[in-house]
Amino acid sequence: MIEHPLNRLRVHHKTTYTYREPVRLEPHRLMLHPRESRFLRIISSDVAVTPTATVTWAHDVFGNTVATATFQAVTDNLVIDSVAELELASAAWPVFDIAASAIFYPFRYSDDEWTDLGALANQQYPDPTGRLRGWSQAFIHGNPTDTLSLLKDLSTGISGWIRYQIREDEGTQSPIQTLDRGWGTCRDFAVLFVEAARSLGFGARLVSGYLYNPGNTNLGSSGDGSTHAWAEVYLPGAGWITFDPTNRSVGSFNLIPVAVVRDIRQAIPVSGSFVGVHNAFLGMSVDVSVTA
């Protein structure tokens, strides 16, 4: 068994909403609990909600841990404070044991794999003129070509075409919008990569979580850590392989997954609504730190 360097990390994610006057809060959906794996072990995880709420836990269709907070009292502020401590032991330079049948592209998933991948192999955004598919095919340098090299070229090619730019607005650009504008956030990079991979016949999914960024050397964070979005592609034998097109990296060495999803809109950390006057909402602030 190969031993990888162990990082013990603390993730603090605090979301604060303020209102002009007391409002009645509808149930809120929380996706803040990291996903455990062979390389990620949760030591402790706690979510504190103010005002007092009844918090229930479940797993969604993807196996993500989801909490629902239900409120009784009216309030002029809402604070959701999540703290998780974990051990991360992913390899910086992973070796992927890809099945012989999938080493070269194009390849064929087995019937069972194709059935189980389902919607994860289907594009979620319209591409009526085939522009995205044509752009993606430009990274295929031979027939056959090395599968992993193709996906690496696609990932690094995105950061070569698209300029990283912070955007505070909610929502995500479509792949065509990102290509047209030539800039995007980490979630726009991830969506473009996943949709491009799907257009080439790969099963792919989006991942939302946290970036551990000591020394502030990676894009997507202005400090030691932040929320982040990246992608995974399924290859027989190796399973789900992590690609972070924002930082041109492969593998999950500095990534802490919270949710894997088909569509980025399914991975919102905190979502909910309130009942009150139309201008009751004053603002929202989010503070995230990922520290050793």
Side-chain angles (χ1 to χ4, degrees), residues 155-288:
S155 179
T156 58
I158 287 175
S159 58
W161 278 75
I162 309 301
R163 184 179 77 258
Y164 178 80
Q165 183 172 313
I166 296 174
R167 188 178 74 252
E168 298 298 336
D169 298 342
E170 294 183 2
T172 305
Q173 297 173 171
S174 72
I176 301 301
Q177 285 177 321
T178 301
L179 290 176
D180 284 344
R181 294 172 180 175
W183 58 268
T185 65
C186 62
R187 60 186 183 272
D188 301 320
F189 278 52
V191 167
L192 175 57
F193 175 84
V194 164
E195 288 289 283
R198 287 170 175 168
S199 78
L200 297 178
F202 291 100
R205 63 189 186 185
L206 290 140
V207 190
S208 176
Y210 303 99
L211 169 69
Y212 176 49
N213 190 18
N216 196 21
T217 57
N218 292 312
L219 294 174
S221 172
S222 58
D224 286 342
S226 68
T227 55
H228 195 54
W230 60 96
E232 292 179 346
V233 176
Y234 181 80
L235 294 183
W240 291 101
I241 297 180
T242 298
F243 294 88
D244 181 4
T246 304
N247 291 297
R248 302 187 177 196
S249 64
V250 182
S252 55
F253 174 67
N254 60 340
L255 299 172
I256 302 165
V258 169
V260 298
V261 293
R262 168 183 51 83
D263 189 298
I264 195 68
R265 291 169 293 188
Q266 298 170 309
I268 299 173
V270 178
S271 59
S273 60
F274 68 90
V275 177
V277 297
H278 73 280
N279 63 344
F281 180 69
L282 286 177
M284 177 186 74
S285 65
V286 180
D287 297 302
V288 176

Side-chain angles (χ1 to χ4, degrees), residues 63-75:
N64 304 311
T65 300
V66 180
T68 300
T70 306
F71 305 88
Q72 299 298 326
V74 296
T75 183

